[in-house]
Amino acid sequence: MRLLRPLAAVLAALTAAALTACAPPADTRPVVVVSTNILGDVVGELIGDQARVVTLMKPNADPHSFEISAQEAATLRDADLLVSNGLGLEEGLQQHLDAAVAADVPSFVAGDAIEVLDYRDGDAAGMPDSHFWTDPARMIDVVDALQPALAALDGVDADALAADVAGYREELTALDDEMTSAFARIPDDRRALVTNHHVFGYLADRFDFEVVGAVIPGGTTLAAPSASDLADLVGAVEETGVPAVFAESSSPDRLVQALADEADVHIEVIELFTESLTAEDGGAPDYLTMMRVNTERITSGLTR
């Protein structure tokens, strides 16, 4: 029995050593926490494997109202960099973003990097429009401003980052060219947009569209339309003769369908991916794909 005890101790030590050897190495990369999945995709394209990117907003979620778990809130507060949209978009998340900034978490707000447009009408008139990503030129501005924030992270190879940023910037420029070419095919008298709520202000400004109206007159899906809002939109649709209205994938199209049913003209309701990416099999798994799908659907819907 005296020989067994030392043997048992040796076996235990060997087992512990084997387990330690098999354990995966600790992930020492910097952690970048991103609020929305659109920005999460862009950050991931820029930083690649040089950082661990944690995106808080799940696929198909509404950026105005999604919430996070206690564990995600803790990750946010411990981040090496926090990237958010800003301009009032993350309404359900704002308290956590403010708490992280108050705790001295380094923060990058995309809305600070662009020329901001204000909503022109509706309940949000005069307030900043948060939906800048519908204009790829403004996304380029965000990418340019984000590069030094990412380069400042410990352990990031600035040269590799610069190469990845340059590559993605070229893709955004190509996207902008494609959208310009596609939208040029839409006749002047059809360059009008109606959607769930005001989400196309930047796209309209960049590509010369008129925003006829929105079923929800505010800048957030948390607002609700009144009977007079619907009546005004019916009049606008009938006056302009737009052949299609657009419903966002992140919110139900019931209201848009009701508008189409009420107007005494044939109006097609077309779904767009405007405020959230989808899962891999959902049609818009990344920002570039989302914008290309929307471009094709808008162009097709307004040229029929």
Side-chain angles (χ1 to χ4, degrees):
M1 293 296 293
R2 291 179 181 176
L3 292 177
L4 290 178
R5 288 180 181 175
L7 180 59
V10 170
L11 290 174
L14 290 174
T15 301
L19 290 174
T20 300
C22 293
D27 191 343
T28 60
R29 297 175 298 168
V31 176
V32 181
V33 175
V34 189
S35 60
T36 70
N37 53 40
I38 291 174
L39 284 175
D41 173 64
V42 173
V43 170
E45 291 289 338
L46 301 182
I47 197 68
D49 293 331
Q50 294 201 71
R52 184 163 66 91
V53 179
V54 178
T55 301
L56 299 176
M57 180 180 162
K58 303 297 187 291
N60 301 309
D62 185 332
H64 299 280
S65 59
F66 80 97
E67 298 179 351
I68 61 175
S69 67
Q71 181 177 358
E72 289 171 322
T75 301
L76 191 159
R77 292 190 299 271
D78 291 335
D80 295 293
L81 178 65
L82 169 61
V83 177
S84 64
N85 188 93
L87 303 175
L89 180 75
E90 300 102 335
E91 297 170 74
L93 186 64
Q94 195 59 52
Q95 61 178 333
H96 296 292
L97 300 178
D98 292 343
V101 171
D104 295 327
V105 174
S107 175
F108 174 88
V109 180
D112 293 343
I114 65 164
E115 180 183 352
V116 178
L117 297 178
D118 290 339
Y119 294 111
R120 294 183 179 179
D121 52 22
D123 295 345
M127 300 295 289
D129 185 345
S130 58
H131 306 90
F132 69 84
W133 61 85
T134 60
D135 174 9
R138 281 179 167 85
M139 186 62 87
I140 290 175
D141 292 338
V142 171
V143 165
D144 289 343
L146 185 55
Q147 181 178 350
L150 294 173
L153 294 170
D154 288 342
V156 168
D157 183 327
D159 291 337
L161 173 67
D164 288 339
V165 168
Y168 193 68
R169 204 177 187 283
E170 289 181 3
E171 293 193 66
L172 290 173
T173 300
L175 170 66
D176 187 78
D177 291 342
E178 290 173 29
M179 293 176 69
T180 301
S181 177
F183 290 148
R185 301 199 301 269
I186 302 174
D188 289 344
D189 61 351
R190 294 239 178 143
R191 302 179 72 84
L193 299 170
V194 180
T195 187
N196 285 56
H197 75 281
H198 288 300
V199 71
F200 287 114
Y202 290 95
L203 183 145
D205 180 71
R206 174 70 181 81
F207 299 106
D208 194 26
F209 281 88
E210 176 189 2
V211 179
V212 174
V215 177
I216 299 175
T220 167
T221 53
L222 302 182
S226 65
S228 63
D229 292 327
L230 287 173
D232 289 344
L233 272 176
V234 169
V237 166
E238 291 176 336
E239 181 179 349
T240 59
V242 293
V245 294
F246 301 97
E248 299 164 76
S249 63
S250 63
S251 45
D253 69 349
R254 183 176 67 252
L255 295 176
V256 174
Q257 188 64 58
L259 171 64
D261 291 343
E262 187 170 342
D264 190 24
V265 290
H266 174 71
I267 301 176
E268 184 178 8
V269 177
I270 299 173
E271 183 182 67
L272 298 180
F273 304 103
T274 56
E275 293 209 300
S276 177
L277 301 182
T278 68
E280 285 297 324
D281 60 351
D286 59 76
Y287 173 70
L288 296 174
T289 299
M290 179 189 80
M291 295 297 289
R292 289 190 170 102
V293 169
N294 288 343
T295 298
E296 189 281 326
R297 292 182 181 181
I298 291 172
T299 303
S300 177
L302 296 180
T303 54
R304 291 176 184 174

